[in-house]
Amino acid sequence: MRRLIFGLTCREVSDFLLEYLEGDLAERERRAFRRHLFWCRACVAYVESYRKTVELARAAGREEIPELVEPVP
């Protein structure tokens, strides 16, 4: 569903999502992104689930892999 709320569609919010979370959006785009989130509860839920997914993926990548007791055949 493409909804236009304050200059950004829901699709555009998903396109800019990683840049938003990384803090890489220009001020103008960041303001438009936040305005959209103010009115669109569906995108808020999507952003939060995406943020959690990124956190979990990064945490999983930091874990040390234990030495195997026996070599894998």
Side-chain angles (χ1 to χ4, degrees), residues 17-28:
L17 187 51
L18 186 58
E19 289 88 357
Y20 174 75
L21 293 176
E22 297 285 327
D24 292 337
L25 283 182
E27 181 62 30
R28 181 178 178 182

Side-chain angles (χ1 to χ4, degrees), residues 11 17 22 25 37-38 45 68 72:
R11 172 62 187 200
L17 187 51
E22 297 285 327
L25 283 182
L37 294 181
F38 182 79
L68 296 174
V72 176

Side-chain angles (χ1 to χ4, degrees), residues 52-66:
K52 186 64 175 173
T53 300
V54 169
E55 288 173 12
L56 291 171
R58 287 183 177 156
R62 288 189 298 258
E63 290 182 21
E64 294 291 322
I65 300 173

Side-chain angles (χ1 to χ4, degrees), residues 27-51:
E27 181 62 30
R28 181 178 178 182
E29 286 83 11
R30 190 171 48 251
R31 281 194 313 262
F33 197 97
R34 288 181 179 156
R35 274 193 309 268
H36 183 94
L37 294 181
F38 182 79
W39 295 103
C40 186
R41 298 291 106 200
C43 283
V44 169
Y46 182 69
V47 168
E48 288 307 311
S49 68
Y50 191 92
R51 181 188 325 261

